[in-house]
């Protein structure tokens, strides 16, 4: 046996799992198609530490986000990773949204999300004179993080614990014989094999393809991913907009949390993301300048004095969503696939937001499947 654990994917979740398992004495190899770690979903996001407000109580997204929030803050303090527990407002723009917001507040309080309070429009105006709303919910446990520093720390910790990394290496397939898998791997034009006891699929945007390569019928089990692109616009020339993050009441379609105002660790402001389903076969990270009208229309409803000239294209990211267009909530898919004839294959698909917040809790959760 070459390694006990083969992990496919070196995003935040793959790094966290490698770190956790290696520190328990297991030999690990991490494969990554890109030239370095965390180059896709893990580094193209709002860099928000979420509190777990929106998700169904029994869901993995709820449980792992609430657990992961506490674990991530502790890790950041211990490892001196730049972060700030800045808090966020979810704001209502009319009486109908105010009613929805009160329901969100009641629900989030009931499932144990800490640090929640409700503010009326007058209290909000005193705290945030540039924000227009009829009421707001404050989540004090929401924060911001330097995601690149987090990824670097997880990589350094895993490397120090003995994890081997193979960048620019792609997973092709695997065969099971007795208690071992023989995994076939491609690097450039070369194909070679390694033997391992467990395979853990953390391949993010290609996690459904890895599952398919293992022999799982991803359409039968409704595991085919849908790519949802989110763009961001930076705000220039408008300082001190707000002291905390500002989110609208989530839109009905539930593809995202709506175009929100994020404060970066350097004090700059950006808006986003929006959410548009795109063709999986040709993803692009471009940010069309013409989207400024869409972003201005959304943000000017709650930011007083914003002008469209202050919005400038920034970055974009792509979410690996199990939720199809028009479909309701889909949870993280994290399963050990013995029921599909693949003992010791641990499958993680649809790890979108709040995946970054949940990464350490996901690693803890996956650990239960390792004998």
């Amino acid at each position: 046996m070459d390694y006990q654990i083969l992990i496919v994917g070196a995003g935040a979740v793959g790094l966290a799992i490698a770190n956790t398992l290696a520190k328990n004495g297991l030999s690990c190899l991490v494969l990554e198609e890109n030239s370095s770690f965390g180059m896709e979903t893990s580094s193209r996001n709002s860099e928000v530490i979420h509190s777990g407000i929106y998700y169904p109580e029994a869901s993995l997204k709820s449980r792992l986000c609430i657990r992961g929030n506490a674990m991530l803050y502790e890790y950041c303090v211990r490892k001196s990773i730049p972060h700030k527990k800045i808090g966020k407002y979810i704001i209502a723009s009319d009486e109908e949204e105010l009613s929805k917001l009160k329901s969100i507040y009641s629900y989030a309080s009931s499932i144990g999300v800490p640090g929640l309070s409700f503010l009326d429009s007058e209290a909000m105006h005193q705290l945030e004179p540039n924000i227009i709303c009829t009421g707001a919910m404050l989540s004090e446990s929401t924060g911001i993080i330097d995601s690149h520093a987090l990824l670097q720390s997880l990589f350094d910790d895993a490397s120090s614990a003995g994890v081997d990394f193979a960048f620019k290496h792609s997973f092709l397939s695997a065969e099971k014989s007795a208690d071992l898998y023989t995994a076939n791997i491609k690097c450039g034009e070369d194909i070679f094999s390694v033997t391992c006891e467990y395979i853990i699929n953390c391949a993010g945007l290609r996690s459904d393809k890895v599952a398919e390569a293992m022999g799982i019928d991803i359409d039968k089990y409704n595991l085919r991913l849908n790519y949802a692109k989110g763009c961001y616009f930076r705000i220039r020339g408008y300082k001190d907009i707000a002291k905390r993050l500002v989110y609208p009441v989530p839109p009905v379609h539930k593809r995202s949390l709506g175009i929100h105002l994020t404060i970066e660790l350097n004090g700059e402001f950006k808006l986003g993301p929006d959410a548009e389903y795109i063709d999986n076969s040709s993803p692009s990270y471009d940010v069309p300048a013409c989207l400024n009208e869409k972003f201005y229309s959304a943000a000017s409803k709650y930011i007083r004095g914003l002008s469209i000239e202050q919005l400038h294209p920034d970055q974009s990211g792509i979410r690996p969503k199990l939720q199809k267009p028009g479909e309701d909530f889909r949870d993280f898919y994290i399963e050990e696939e013995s029921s599909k004839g693949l003992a010791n294959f641990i499958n993680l698909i649809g790890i979108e937001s709040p995946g970054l917040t949940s990464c350490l809790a996901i690693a803890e959760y996956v650990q239960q499947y390792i004998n």
Side-chain angles (χ1 to χ4, degrees):
M1 179 174 62
D2 297 310
Y3 294 91
Q4 291 167 288
I5 312 290
L6 175 65
I7 298 171
V8 185
V13 171
L15 293 174
I17 291 172
N19 191 15
T20 297
L21 297 183
K23 287 183 176 178
N24 283 287
L26 298 168
S27 61
C28 300
L29 171 65
V30 179
L31 303 181
E32 172 55 54
E33 285 190 352
N34 291 300
S35 59
S36 188
F37 53 84
M39 293 182 69
E40 295 181 344
T41 307
S42 296
S43 60
R44 292 176 167 272
N45 54 67
S46 300
E47 298 189 301
V48 171
I49 301 175
H50 292 287
S51 58
I53 290 169
Y54 306 98
Y55 313 109
E57 181 176 7
S59 69
L60 289 176
K61 285 184 176 179
S62 175
R63 291 154 50 200
L64 296 177
C65 184
I66 293 172
R67 170 71 175 150
N69 175 284
M71 293 179 76
L72 191 54
Y73 279 123
E74 188 277 332
Y75 184 81
C76 287
V77 170
R78 182 159 46 89
K79 295 292 182 177
S80 300
I81 295 167
H83 72 289
K84 188 174 183 181
K85 192 181 285 189
I86 195 171
K88 83 170 179 183
Y89 303 108
I90 305 174
I91 58 167
S93 60
D94 55 35
E95 290 303 316
E96 181 180 356
E97 287 191 352
L98 189 61
S99 177
K100 292 179 182 178
L101 186 57
K102 289 178 178 177
S103 296
I104 292 171
Y105 172 72
S106 177
Y107 170 73
S109 298
S110 74
I111 63 172
V113 177
L116 302 178
S117 56
F118 207 89
L119 304 167
D120 61 22
S121 58
E122 183 177 345
M124 269 297 289
H125 183 71
Q126 292 296 318
L127 290 169
E128 303 286 0
N130 296 321
I131 301 303
I132 306 164
C133 67
T134 56
M137 183 176 87
L138 171 61
S139 167
E140 294 180 357
S141 63
T142 300
I144 51 178
I145 184 172
D146 183 338
S147 62
H148 303 277
L150 170 65
L151 293 164
Q152 185 69 57
S153 179
L154 290 170
F155 173 75
D156 291 344
D157 278 2
S159 298
S160 297
V163 174
D164 288 336
F165 287 86
F167 297 111
K168 297 184 178 179
H169 284 63
S170 302
F171 176 86
L172 295 179
S173 62
E175 297 83 37
K176 187 78 178 287
S177 177
D179 293 328
L180 293 180
Y181 282 103
T182 299
N184 303 306
I185 298 163
K186 185 175 183 180
C187 179
E189 297 302 316
D190 298 325
I191 296 176
F192 62 96
S193 299
V194 297
T195 56
C196 57
E197 190 174 356
Y198 292 86
I199 296 176
I200 303 177
N201 175 18
C202 303
L205 293 170
R206 287 169 294 283
S207 55
D208 59 340
K209 299 302 184 185
V210 170
E212 194 168 41
M214 290 292 295
I216 293 176
D217 186 335
I218 59 175
D219 292 313
K220 175 182 176 181
Y221 293 104
N222 199 19
L223 294 176
R224 189 173 295 277
L225 287 173
N226 306 277
Y227 286 4
K229 181 178 179 179
C231 293
Y232 295 83
F233 274 71
R234 188 164 298 277
I235 301 175
R236 294 178 180 157
Y238 190 158
K239 297 183 178 180
D240 303 323
I241 301 172
K243 301 178 185 67
R244 296 183 170 95
L245 314 181
V246 181
Y247 282 60
V249 170
V252 174
H253 59 63
K254 299 180 182 178
R255 290 194 297 267
S256 72
L257 300 179
I259 293 174
H260 52 263
L261 177 71
T262 299
I263 307 173
E264 298 184 318
L265 287 167
N266 63 6
E268 294 186 6
F269 293 88
K270 66 182 179 183
L271 294 168
D274 62 348
E276 296 294 337
Y277 283 97
I278 62 172
D279 183 355
N280 290 25
S281 64
S282 56
S284 166
Y285 289 108
D286 69 310
V287 181
C290 62
L291 287 177
N292 64 344
E293 294 184 6
K294 174 184 179 180
F295 276 70
Y296 174 73
S297 176
S300 61
K301 292 176 182 177
Y302 63 84
I303 300 177
R304 185 175 280 109
L306 183 69
S307 70
I308 195 168
E309 291 77 20
Q310 292 169 324
L311 305 187
H312 300 268
D314 193 57
Q315 68 166 0
S316 69
I318 298 173
R319 306 177 187 91
K321 297 184 76 67
L322 284 168
Q323 178 187 346
K324 298 180 179 68
E327 190 177 17
D328 204 350
F329 173 83
R330 289 290 301 274
D331 202 2
F332 293 152
Y333 182 88
I334 306 176
E335 293 288 344
E336 193 277 337
E337 299 289 19
S338 289
S339 64
K340 298 182 180 65
L342 294 167
N344 295 345
F345 174 54
I346 303 169
N347 213 2
L348 290 82
I349 303 179
I351 310 299
E352 53 165 333
S353 183
L356 185 70
T357 300
S358 306
C359 66
L360 297 174
I362 290 173
E364 182 182 68
Y365 185 85
V366 165
Q367 188 178 10
Q368 71 178 314
Y369 293 121
I370 309 298
N371 295 324

